[in-house]
């Protein structure tokens, strides 16, 4: 990852742990390298901290996703949802060179 880890609130970790307990299977959307939205499909098997890198989930497919970059986890907003929402609405904030 090119960005440094940003600690997430405890409630985000609780949502992840709840989905692990339920053994939910589905899609996870997250920020990949740069400003690309990527996805993984699977079941969260593990939530762990990797020293010097941050907290990650590991899916049953072996894929790892840093939790502060998760946009949605099985349809529920993740730690990076607000960043995604701001990015998606960025063009609505400009006037496209047209004076008001």
């Amino acid at each position: 990852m090119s960005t440094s880890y940003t600690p997430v609130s405890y409630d985000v970790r609780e949502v992840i742990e709840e989905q692990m307990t339920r053994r939910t299977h589905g899609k996870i959307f997250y920020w990949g390298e740069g400003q690309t939205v990527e996805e993984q499909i699977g079941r969260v098997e593990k939530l762990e901290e990797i020293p010097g890198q941050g907290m990650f989930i590991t899916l049953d497919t072996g894929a790892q996703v840093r939790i502060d970059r998760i946009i949605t986890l099985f349809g529920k907003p993740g730690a990076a949802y607000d960043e995604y929402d701001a990015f998606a609405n960025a063009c609505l904030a400009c006037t496209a060179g047209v004076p008001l």
Side-chain angles (χ1 to χ4, degrees), residues 29-67:
F29 291 94
Y30 62 97
W31 288 109
E33 291 295 323
Q35 291 186 324
T36 61
V37 175
E38 298 186 22
E39 71 177 75
Q40 292 288 331
I41 299 174
R43 179 180 302 113
V44 179
E45 294 287 323
K46 187 170 29 173
L47 172 63
E48 66 182 331
E49 183 170 356
I50 298 176
Q53 295 183 35
M55 293 198 73
F56 287 79
I57 57 171
T58 303
L59 304 179
D60 58 349
T61 61
Q64 286 189 314
V65 178
R66 207 172 74 190
I67 67 170

Side-chain angles (χ1 to χ4, degrees), residues 6-9 12 31 66-73 76-84:
T6 304
V8 300
S9 65
V12 170
W31 288 109
R66 207 172 74 190
I67 67 170
D68 67 325
R69 306 310 294 151
I70 295 174
I71 298 168
T72 60
L73 176 76
K76 299 180 185 316
Y81 183 81
D82 289 340
E83 180 183 347
Y84 174 77

